[in-house]
Amino acid sequence: MLQHFFNPSSVAVIGASQNPAKIGYDILNNILQYGYGGTVYPINPKAQEILGHKAYPDLASVPSDIDLAVVAVPATAVMDVLEQCGKKGVDSVIVVTAGFREIGPEGARLENKLAMRARELGIRIVGPNCLGIIDTASALNASFAAGMPLAGHIGFFSQSGALCVAILDWALGENVGFSRFVSLGNKMDISETEIMLSMGQDENTRVILGYLESIEDGPRFMKAAREVSKTKPIIIIKSGTTSAGAKAASSHTGALAGSDHAYRAAFKQSGIIHAESMQALFGYAMAFANQAPPKGPSLAIITNSGGPGILAADACDRSSLHLTPIRRETADRLREFLPPTASVYNPIDIIGDATHERYQKTLAVILNDEFIHAVLILLTPTAAVDAEAVAREIVSLAKDTDKPIMTAFMGGKRVRHARKIFQDHAIPAYDYPEDAVGALDAMLSYRRWREQPERQYRHFDVDTSKVREVFASVVKQHRQDLVESEARQILKAYGFRLPESRIARTTQEAVKMASEIGYPVVMKIASPDVLHKSDMGGVRVGVENEAMAEDAFFHITSNIQLRQPGARILGVMVQEMIPQGREVILGITRDMQFGPIIMFGLGGIYVEVLKDVAFRIAPLSVEEADAMIRDIRSFPLLRGVRGELPADIKGIRDALLRLSQMAIDCPEIVEADVNPLLVCPEGQGAVAVDARITIQE
Ligand code: ADP
Ligand code: MG
C-alpha cells in the first residue's frame, strides 16, 4: 500500500534549489545525505546541477520513470506540476507547499481544484502544507525536517508539521527509533486512515503513533483502526474538537454530548490507545515499542524509598493494575537477604541503603514469582546507591524474562547515565512513577482489547410500518418534535416496555382511569407545548386514591394554565406507577464525523450537573452496551448499596441495544432521550416512562 511513498526507486524534487534558505534545498539535501539508494532528480529550470546532481528543467526531460515526486514550488504553480506528473505517469506526490486550505476560502478553492484534478489523473497526494515523509528502512528522508531518526519500529503520523519536528528531536535525544514519519498536512487526498492501514501492513512498524486534529471519515477510520489494532497498538493524541451534529437545546442528550465524546467513544470502540497529553504519548510509545504487554494485572513495585513507592501505589489504585500482596514463599525468599526494616510487601521497600546488589537479588526473586505480571523499579539517588550499576543489573535480568520491566529513576544528574543505559537496552525509563504506571496500564488495556472475543450484535423485530407512519405524519405537519404519544408509539414499535397510560379530559375520567389502571398512579400534563412537565408543576407521582386523583387533576391543569398560559392542554395523562425504579437516561445524538451516538447515564434531576454519562457510537454490540453501563462513576448505585436490591442491568442493556438499532434504522432522528428509563430490581426489566424524539424536517 502506498509503496511509492515509502520505498520509491526514484524521486524527483520539483522546486529543488541551491539556495540553503529554501525548502527545496532542505528536501533535496535530506534525500541525498541519509543514504537513500534510489535515483534522485532535482527539477529546476534555472539550474544545471544542484548538490552535485544533474538538474532537469521539467519532469518531461527526465530520461526514466519516476516513482515519487516531492513538490516545493509556490502554491499557484502546483497545478502545473500536477499536470506534468500526469503526463510523466507519476502516481505518488508529496506537496509540501503551503498556502491552501489553511489560509482561507481562496486557498481552499485552489486545494479543491487540485484534489479533483489529482483524482482524474489517478495521482495520490500527501499534503499539501506538510513536512514530508521519512522511511528509515529505505533511508528516505523526503522532508524538510532537521535530522533523520534512527531506524526502529515506531510509525508516526501527524496532522501538525511542527509536532513532527518536535517528536523527531525528542527521538534523537532519547535514542528512540522510528520506522516511518508521515506529515499529513491538509489531508487533501491521503488521510490518517490510509496511513494507518499502510503502517499496519508495514513489517518494520510495530507501534503506530498519531497526532490528529480532525478525523475525516469516522466510520472508515474506526473500521481500519479495529482491524489494525488487532495486531499493532495504535496510540493517538487528539487535539481540538469535532463539531457535534445539530443541537436541540431541549434535549438532555444534546446538552450533555460535548464535542469530544464522539472521538473518545470511537477510540474506545476501535482499540485505539488514547494519549491525553504529549507526555503520555511519549511514555506509551516508549513502553509499547520496547516491551510486550503484561499477561495480567499484577504489578510489583521495587523501591529504595517510601514516598515514591506510595506515589506509584496511588497511581496503581487509579488504574486497572493490581498491587497484589507478595505471596508468603516469595516474601520468605526476600527476607533471606533484605534487612529487617525493609518491607517485603508491595511496594517492596528495600530502603535507603540499598545497593545495586540488593536491587539485583530482589528483582531476580520477583521475576521468578509466576503470580507477578509486571515490575516497576523506582530509585532515588541516595549516597549508597550506584544508579548505573543498578541499571546494568536490571538490563541483564531483563534479557531472560518476558515480563515488562519499567523504571523510574528520579532525579537529574545522578541518574542521567542510568537512563541512558536503559534507553540503549530497550527498557522504558520514566521521570516519574505515575508515568510508568500509566504506560503499563495502557499496555494492559491493549492486551485485553486484543484478547476480547468477537463482538456480538443483536437484532430486534420492529414494527417498521408503524414507525414510518408516525414520522410521515409528523413531517406532514411540518413539525420536528414528536409529541409524547408519538414518541411512545415509536418506542413501542421498538419493543420498549412502556407504562400503561391514558389521557383523561375530565376529573371523572381521571378517577375512572386511575381505578382501572390500579392505584397508585402517576398523573402528568398531556400537552404538546410543555417540554419539561415537572418543572411546570405538571407531574404528580404517588396518587393513591380518588381524592388525590381529583386534586391532582385540578392542580396539574391550573399549574399549566398559570405558568404557561396558551399551552394547548389535551388533558391529563394517568399512568401506571413503576415502583422501586431507579432512574437512568438513554439518548441518541449525532456527530458530523461518526454518525449516531448513544448516551447512557444515571437519570433524574442531577444528570446535567453531574455529567456522569457514557457515550458509544452506534451500532452497539452487546459487550459495548455492557461496558458503557459499567463506565459511569455511579455504576455501584445500580448494583445496589446498603441493602438495596440490585437494578436490572440486563433491562438497561436491552433498552440500549434497542435504541442503538433505532438510531441506525432511522437516520431522520436527530436526537432522542428516554428520560427516565425506570429500572426495576433485577429480573423485572426496565420501563420507559418519558421520551422525547426530534427528527429532521
Ligand atoms: P418531565 O421529564 O417532563 O418532567 P417525566 O414524565 O419524566 O416528566 O416525570 C418526571 C419524574 O416523575 C420522572 O423523572 C420520575 O421520577 C417520575 N415518574 C414519571 N412517571 C413515572 C411512573 N410512571 N412511575 C414512577 N415514577 C414516574
Ligand atoms: Mg422526563
Side-chain angles (χ1 to χ4, degrees):
M1 241 188 122
L2 306 177
Q3 267 318 310
H4 282 171
F5 282 101
F6 301 108
N7 191 13
S9 311
S10 51
V11 184
V13 181
I14 300 152
S17 170
Q18 18 205 0
N19 178 356
K22 292 259 165 92
I23 282 176
Y25 172 91
D26 292 327
I27 293 173
L28 184 65
N29 192 36
N30 272 348
I31 295 176
L32 295 174
Q33 74 169 310
Y34 296 111
Y36 169 62
T39 328
V40 185
Y41 302 106
I43 311 289
N44 183 332
K46 291 188 212 118
Q48 297 296 316
E49 193 193 278
I50 306 175
L51 289 167
H53 280 246
K54 176 175 162 49
Y56 295 83
D58 49 32
L59 278 179
S61 352
V62 174
S64 53
D65 284 350
I66 294 164
D67 284 350
L68 174 68
V70 188
V71 181
V73 300
T76 46
V78 174
M79 186 56 108
D80 176 55
V81 171
L82 198 65
E83 297 294 348
Q84 287 189 41
C85 288
K87 286 210 186 77
K88 183 73 189 163
V90 183
D91 63 4
S92 304
V93 175
I94 301 171
V95 182
V96 301
T97 309
F100 292 93
R101 188 169 305 285
E102 78 282 5
I103 60 160
E106 202 170 313
R109 263 196 299 280
L110 192 56
E111 191 176 312
N112 290 344
K113 266 199 223 156
L114 227 87
M116 230 143 70
R117 188 65 187 131
R119 220 166 297 139
E120 283 166 9
L121 295 168
I123 296 175
R124 302 307 315 269
I125 294 185
V126 166
N129 184 29
C130 75
L131 196 77
I133 285 181
I134 298 174
D135 184 297
T136 55
S138 54
L140 174 70
N141 186 336
S143 80
F144 60 93
M148 176 81 170
L150 300 172
H153 303 292
I154 302 176
F156 177 64
F157 63 83
S158 169
Q159 203 169 337
S160 146
L163 226 99
C164 280
V165 175
I167 297 239
L168 185 61
D169 199 53
W170 167 79
L172 290 170
E174 303 274 313
N175 258 352
V176 176
F178 279 79
S179 51
R180 286 176 178 178
F181 248 82
V182 179
S183 163
L184 295 168
N186 293 4
K187 305 194 283 191
M188 172 187 114
D189 173 34
I190 292 176
S191 70
E192 59 282 350
T193 299
E194 275 173 289
I195 295 300
M196 202 160 66
L197 284 169
S198 79
M199 287 181 178
Q201 287 174 3
D202 172 36
E203 56 184 28
N204 295 311
T205 302
R206 287 191 208 145
V207 181
I208 300 170
L209 223 61
Y211 165 82
L212 287 179
E213 286 162 6
S214 64
I215 289 163
E216 295 313 305
D217 177 343
R220 217 180 126 229
F221 173 80
M222 283 179 76
K223 185 166 175 281
R226 271 183 183 152
E227 211 173 285
V228 173
S229 66
K230 283 287 165 195
T231 55
K232 294 179 191 184
I234 306 169
I235 306 163
I236 291 183
I237 181 165
K238 167 86 174 62
S239 76
T241 47
T242 61
S243 39
K247 266 188 194 171
S250 61
S251 120
H252 292 279
T253 309
L256 285 162
S259 43
D260 64 347
H261 285 112
Y263 75 80
R264 281 177 187 277
F267 286 8
K268 268 189 199 153
Q269 289 172 268
S270 43
I272 290 174
I273 300 139
H274 186 186
E276 298 278 359
S277 63
M278 284 307 290
Q279 196 177 336
L281 187 78
F282 291 142
Y284 296 175
M286 193 151 64
F288 279 96
N290 295 317
Q291 308 265 309
K295 295 214 169 75
S298 285
L299 170 70
I301 297 171
I302 301 173
T303 177
N304 68 344
S305 53
I310 296 168
L311 284 176
D314 286 347
C316 204
D317 216 39
R318 294 187 296 265
S319 77
S320 53
L321 296 159
H322 301 171
L323 212 55
T324 16
I326 301 298
R327 286 181 315 139
R328 215 10 211 294
E329 272 168 67
T330 306
D332 287 346
R333 290 181 60 195
L334 290 173
R335 274 199 201 92
E336 282 170 19
F337 58 86
L338 287 181
T341 48
S343 162
V344 295
Y345 300 101
N346 212 353
I348 301 158
D349 187 348
I350 60 174
I351 65 176
D353 63 349
T355 59
H356 62 279
E357 277 158 3
R358 202 183 285 168
Y359 266 101
Q360 192 275 341
K361 283 185 182 160
T362 309
L363 181 58
V365 169
I366 291 302
L367 287 174
N368 251 318
D369 183 331
E370 56 178 315
F371 292 93
I372 292 168
H373 304 119
V375 189
L376 168 60
I377 303 158
L378 308 178
L379 178 143
T380 40
T382 59
V385 81
D386 174 349
E388 281 169 66
V390 177
R392 273 191 290 273
E393 299 289 6
I394 292 173
V395 164
S396 136
L397 284 170
K399 285 196 189 96
D400 303 317
T401 180
D402 57 355
K403 292 176 188 176
I405 297 179
M406 308 288 220
T407 63
F409 282 22
M410 280 169 287
K413 194 161 160 258
R414 295 203 45 215
V415 296
R416 193 168 300 142
H417 293 291
R419 288 222 197 118
K420 177 87 177 61
I421 294 172
F422 290 135
Q423 280 160 12
D424 293 345
H425 292 88
I427 306 257
Y430 296 90
D431 292 351
Y432 304 105
E434 298 89 329
D435 296 340
V437 172
L440 209 52
D441 190 28
M443 288 214 282
L444 181 63
S445 0
Y446 178 62
R447 178 168 208 115
R448 288 185 170 151
W449 160 261
R450 275 178 55 162
E451 287 170 352
Q452 183 180 285
E454 274 296 301
R455 269 185 297 274
Q456 294 178 59
Y457 292 91
R458 196 160 292 167
H459 186 84
F460 302 96
D461 286 332
V462 173
D463 184 353
T464 325
S465 56
K466 186 77 209 172
V467 174
R468 292 291 131 220
E469 184 192 313
V470 173
F471 285 154
S473 126
V474 176
V475 170
K476 210 165 154 200
Q477 296 169 46
H478 304 290
R479 280 188 287 130
Q480 284 188 277
D481 291 319
L482 275 66
V483 298
E484 174 140 16
S485 59
E486 291 163 337
R488 285 171 59 90
Q489 288 179 63
I490 301 290
L491 291 186
K492 189 153 175 266
Y494 271 89
F496 279 83
R497 238 181 87 192
L498 301 174
E500 189 181 346
S501 16
R502 295 182 213 173
I503 293 176
R505 275 158 308 173
T506 62
T507 315
Q508 291 77 9
E509 265 183 18
V511 169
K512 185 161 168 281
M513 288 172 177
S515 68
E516 281 164 10
I517 289 171
Y519 288 107
V521 294
V522 178
M523 290 170 66
K524 309 177 185 180
I525 189 69
S527 161
D529 301 319
V530 180
L531 283 188
H532 298 296
K533 299 177 285 295
S534 37
D535 292 353
M536 295 289 159
V539 178
R540 276 278 175 93
V541 295
V543 176
E544 305 209 12
N545 52 43
E546 210 167 288
M548 284 171 89
E550 282 171 5
D551 183 65
F553 190 95
F554 173 75
H555 279 105
I556 286 173
T557 46
S558 44
N559 280 345
I560 300 301
Q561 277 158 355
L562 201 72
R563 297 190 196 171
Q564 203 175 324
R568 289 166 289 172
I569 297 179
L570 307 177
V572 172
M573 183 187 274
V574 183
Q575 189 169 74
E576 170 193 358
M577 175 144 156
I578 308 302
Q580 288 185 297
R582 253 160 286 178
E583 303 203 14
V584 300
I585 173 172
L586 323 179
I588 300 174
T589 173
R590 279 184 200 272
D591 179 81
M592 300 265 270
Q593 262 79 34
F594 292 99
I597 300 179
I598 305 298
M599 184 190 82
F600 168 73
L602 220 55
I605 51 176
Y606 299 125
V607 59
E608 282 186 32
V609 180
L610 297 176
K611 294 191 166 59
D612 186 16
V613 286
F615 293 87
R616 291 291 186 281
I617 291 159
L620 291 182
S621 67
V622 177
E623 296 78 11
E624 283 164 345
D626 283 337
M628 79 186 289
I629 299 170
R630 281 192 309 265
D631 244 19
I632 62 167
R633 289 191 305 279
S634 31
F635 176 63
L637 297 181
L638 293 173
R639 268 198 313 221
V641 288
R642 307 205 169 195
E644 275 177 325
L645 292 171
D648 196 52
I649 308 285
K650 281 209 184 106
I652 306 177
R653 175 220 269 172
D654 182 77
L656 281 170
L657 294 174
R658 287 178 193 276
L659 197 72
S660 159
Q661 186 173 327
M662 185 161 123
I664 298 290
D665 289 351
C666 312
E668 61 267 73
I669 297 181
V670 182
E671 272 182 344
D673 282 339
V674 177
N675 185 27
L677 177 81
L678 288 179
V679 190
C680 301
E682 205 163 13
Q684 296 173 37
V687 188
V689 303
D690 186 27
R692 297 188 48 71
I693 297 176
T694 306
I695 61 171
Q696 245 159 10
E697 268 178 294

